[in-house]
Amino acid sequence: MHPLITQTHIETYQRDGVVLIKGLFADWVERLRDGVAQNMADPGPYAAENLHEGEAGRFFDDYCNWQRIAPFEAAARQSPAAEVAADLMQSQCCQLFHDHVLVKEPGTSKPTPWHQDSPYYFVEGAQTVSFWSPLDPVREASLRCVVGSHKWPRAVLPTRWLAETSFYPDEVEFMPVPDPDADGMEIVEFEMEPGDAVAFHYRILHGARGNDAADRRRAFSLRLLGDDARYVARPGPTSPPFPGHGMVPGQRLREDWFPVVFAR
């Protein structure tokens, strides 16, 4: 395994679906900050502002920009992330699904809603991992994950963050979005330094607090896939949509769009 992690990291990830990896992107912080600045200056087609009119601050996010923003592609291919992901997933290879940038400016009190990533995606598998890495010190605006929720028998209803409407028409296929604080669920969150990373399964229920601090909170994410990840059909357009992909259910994701970034 990669020297950044131990067997305990792997066991924790497999059991809880979430684990902290210290310093995963420690050597990439400045380059990723440059990438985020480029992304915000020139947003992609999926960029979003996630606040209603009159809400304070700014909550920007964008994804699927690695092919045009060099630091994102370099981090996916050259940082330890892909090998560490393969270790955590217990996979022989690791594919890049997409990158994601989330920025909360100072005074942005709006939290990131509780959600699972998996229902938004057109991919399923036990071997999945996302890395969420702050590019600024995080004390109170960190990612929050519900321990063990990747093993729940039903997926959580995906919703649109700003409109707060259901993402798909068949709501009965999903469990309602819970309130983990009110329901007494076990939640983990971490104080983090720039370049640390939370690794979490696509099916982990997670969210984030608002940023009431005096400093901005920039976060860079990589979504990665292992050996058993396969394309699945959803009852509507997915997020990201990847139009025109041409894949069929049960197929491994096409490597010309979703490159292998690590193989044993």
Side-chain angles (χ1 to χ4, degrees):
M1 69 191 73
H2 193 278
L4 276 174
I5 65 171
T6 66
Q7 186 63 32
T8 299
H9 287 94
I10 296 172
E11 292 170 358
T12 300
Y13 185 76
Q14 293 291 323
R15 180 189 67 241
D16 296 345
V18 55
V19 69
L20 176 67
I21 311 295
K22 297 291 292 182
L24 183 67
F25 295 103
D27 296 334
W28 291 82
V29 171
E30 289 303 324
R31 279 174 283 185
L32 289 172
R33 286 172 175 168
D34 290 343
V36 170
Q38 181 181 340
N39 196 167
M40 296 184 76
D42 181 21
Y46 304 127
E49 299 287 350
N50 296 289
L51 298 180
H52 292 287
E53 185 176 354
E55 290 182 307
R58 184 186 184 190
F59 180 6
F60 169 90
D61 85 292
D62 198 3
Y63 49 67
C64 299
N65 290 294
W66 65 267
Q67 290 169 302
R68 68 185 189 93
I69 298 181
F72 296 171
E73 180 175 9
R77 294 186 183 274
Q78 301 169 26
S79 79
E83 183 176 353
V84 170
D87 291 336
L88 295 174
M89 295 185 293
Q90 298 290 271
S91 178
Q92 294 301 304
C93 75
C94 180
Q95 281 182 272
L96 172 60
F97 187 36
H98 72 89
D99 58 277
H100 196 173
V101 166
L102 304 105
V103 179
K104 288 185 179 178
E105 299 290 1
T108 306
S109 59
K110 182 174 182 175
T112 303
W114 289 106
H115 65 286
Q116 295 171 318
D117 288 339
S118 179
Y120 293 90
Y121 294 164
F122 59 34
V123 63
E124 286 280 9
Q127 292 170 306
T128 65
V129 64
S130 290
F131 291 117
W132 183 94
S133 181
L135 304 179
D136 306 283
V138 169
R139 299 295 177 264
E140 297 177 351
S142 187
L143 194 70
R144 311 179 74 208
C145 296
V146 175
V147 172
S149 53
H150 65 308
K151 297 180 179 178
W152 287 353
R154 293 178 68 201
V156 171
L157 178 69
T159 61
R160 294 176 177 84
W161 286 6
L162 194 60
E164 299 179 354
T165 56
S166 300
F167 204 77
Y168 300 129
D170 53 347
E171 292 188 21
V172 296
E173 299 297 320
F174 300 91
M175 64 179 286
V177 181
D179 183 339
D181 292 298
D183 295 340
M185 296 178 180
E186 183 180 358
I187 301 168
V188 293
E189 55 186 315
F190 309 95
E191 292 189 355
M192 303 172 68
E193 297 301 323
D196 293 346
V198 177
F200 61 99
H201 195 280
Y202 285 8
R203 287 182 65 95
I204 277 288
L205 185 71
H206 63 287
R209 299 186 188 276
N211 182 23
D212 293 320
D215 300 309
R216 66 197 320 209
R217 192 223 66 188
R218 293 165 289 183
F220 173 74
S221 286
L222 280 180
R223 321 296 191 189
L224 302 165
L225 303 164
D227 299 336
D228 74 346
R230 296 292 185 272
Y231 173 78
V232 295
R234 301 293 190 196
T238 58
S239 176
F242 296 112
H245 57 75
M247 292 181 290
V248 297
Q251 181 180 345
R252 279 182 58 90
L253 269 58
R254 50 186 296 179
E255 293 182 11
D256 55 337
W257 286 30
F258 306 97
V260 173
V261 287
F262 174 79
R264 301 194 190 282

